Amino acid sequence: ARASSIDLRLTAFMAYLRGYHHIHLRGVEEIVETVLELPVSLGQVSILETQVSEVLTFAPAKALEVVQQAPVKKADCVWPRAVGKREVAPRSPTARG
């Protein structure tokens, strides 16, 4: 992908607004221009979103590949608190099941 003139942190911020908060393209453009006082076009926001999506597409597959190749898989919620002592991790209040 062609290098962008927009800083990587700004790219990450815009991707976060689009992906996590589901803000429309025009909303992201307006936030960047109003709050950060940086000129940005809808086209730039759209192109950067596509680039970030393409990069993130491969992350889950790569993580799965690494886990599958690992000799030992730790799937429990246990970790060492002190030498020789192990405790079960506290459940998150939002955990299901």
Side-chain angles (χ1 to χ4, degrees):
R2 176 169 68 79
S4 175
S5 62
I6 296 179
D7 184 69
L8 292 177
R9 288 172 290 178
L10 180 57
T11 300
F13 176 65
M14 290 191 300
Y16 168 74
L17 292 174
R18 287 282 294 145
Y20 188 78
H21 293 287
H22 306 286
I23 296 175
H24 295 283
L25 289 173
R26 184 156 316 273
V28 173
E29 177 200 26
E30 289 177 8
I31 289 170
V32 171
E33 288 186 344
T34 304
V35 177
L36 303 177
E37 297 180 350
L38 295 171
V40 64
S41 69
L42 285 176
Q44 284 177 304
V45 176
S46 180
I47 288 168
L48 291 171
E49 177 185 21
T50 301
Q51 290 173 348
V52 170
S53 293
E54 288 173 358
V55 170
L56 293 178
T57 298
F58 299 105
K62 183 63 177 170
L64 179 61
E65 178 185 328
V66 169
V67 168
Q68 289 174 336
Q69 293 176 0
V72 177
K73 293 157 184 72
K74 303 270 184 188
D76 60 0
C77 292
V78 178
W79 75 90
R81 272 261 171 111
V83 177
K85 182 179 177 186
R86 295 172 66 89
E87 293 183 10
V88 175
R91 288 183 57 93
S92 165
T94 58
R96 298 177 187 242

